[in-house]
Each structure stands twice: as C-alpha cells, then as structure tokens.
Amino acid sequence: MGKYDDIIHLPHPTSERHPRMSRQDRAAQFSPFAALTGLGAALQESARLTERRMIPDEYEQAELNKKLQYLRENLSQQPAAAITHFVPDDRKEGGSYRRTVGRVKKLLEYERQLVLTDGTTLAIEDILELELL
C-alpha cells in the first residue's frame, strides 16, 4: 500500500472560474531564462576575424609613389587601375583588404584621396598596391 494510492486514480480537478491553459502557454512558463538575449550576436561578432593594416616598406612605397605620379600626369586619359586598399572595420580594430578596379578620375591633393569615375573615393594612405591596367 503506497502513500498516494487513495488519490492516484481520482479525476484531475478543473476550475470552474479559470479556463484551462493551453500546452503552448504552459510550456512558455518553463522556457529558458532570457537574461542572455544578444549573447549569440555578441559571440558571433567577437569571433569575426579582421586583418591588421599592413604598412608598405620603403621599396613598396617608392613603387606606389611612382604609380601615383603616373596617374597624376595622365588624368586626362582616365587610366584604368586595380587598387588593393584597406577598409577599416566599423565595429572593431582592424579591417579587411579589398580590390577595386576602375578608371581614375582625379587625385585630390589636400584630402589625399583617389577618385574613380564611378564615384568611389579611396584614401591614398589606405592603398597597399596599385596595378596599372
């Protein structure tokens, strides 16, 4: 004879005032605690890799300056170039390198920017490599 044998086979009590809760609502009561909302996005952001900005050595900088001078002298012809440049990351230290291909429209001396015919503007200090096409 068990401790609850006298009540184990009785029907489940139902309230006349309160309607029975649905299974979904009952399950929601026991869902995980939501204090860590946004944790997944934060972990994903911290796991995202960025690259460090590379600084060209003296030889590479001299080559880059020669090519920029060529562009400056031939702006009227709108020379084509493939430019590898650094794009800083908005949210964390570092960034990524991208390759942009286009025709050079102008070189802005004071702003130290290179403007392409499609409107793309690149900072000269962000340029790592410049290939004349």
Side-chain angles (χ1 to χ4, degrees):
M1 183 89 189
K3 193 172 180 183
Y4 300 105
D5 285 344
D6 57 335
I7 62 169
I8 196 96
H9 296 293
L10 291 176
H12 184 70
T14 56
S15 172
E16 292 177 12
R17 273 194 268 163
H18 304 291
R20 191 163 188 140
M21 195 181 284
S22 71
R23 282 185 176 229
Q24 278 186 322
D25 290 341
R26 287 174 53 96
Q29 286 182 335
F30 301 104
S31 66
F33 185 63
L36 299 177
T37 55
L39 177 66
L43 289 174
Q44 187 176 10
E45 175 62 25
S46 65
R48 189 170 54 86
L49 297 177
T50 57
E51 296 178 78
R52 291 160 93 192
R53 182 189 300 256
M54 293 188 288
I55 300 170
D57 63 17
E58 292 175 28
Y59 173 75
E60 293 168 332
Q61 189 64 47
E63 282 295 314
L64 187 59
N65 287 338
K66 282 182 195 176
K67 291 176 183 177
L68 287 170
Q69 183 63 34
Y70 173 84
L71 291 176
R72 187 177 293 116
E73 292 168 357
N74 295 290
L75 280 176
S76 61
Q77 299 168 5
Q78 294 185 340
I83 304 157
T84 303
H85 59 99
F86 184 76
V87 179
D89 195 295
D90 293 336
R91 291 184 240 150
K92 60 195 290 190
E93 188 177 330
S96 63
Y97 279 93
R98 295 202 183 123
R99 182 178 164 100
T100 303
V101 178
R103 294 196 165 276
V104 179
K105 183 177 180 180
K106 53 182 147 174
L107 269 159
L108 303 175
E109 299 291 330
Y110 285 121
E111 295 87 355
R112 304 230 352 110
Q113 293 179 336
L114 187 78
V115 181
L116 303 180
T117 55
D118 66 357
T120 304
T121 304
L122 305 172
I124 290 177
E125 61 267 4
D126 290 339
I127 297 174
L128 178 66
E129 192 176 289
L130 188 107
E131 181 185 342
L132 300 171
L133 304 176

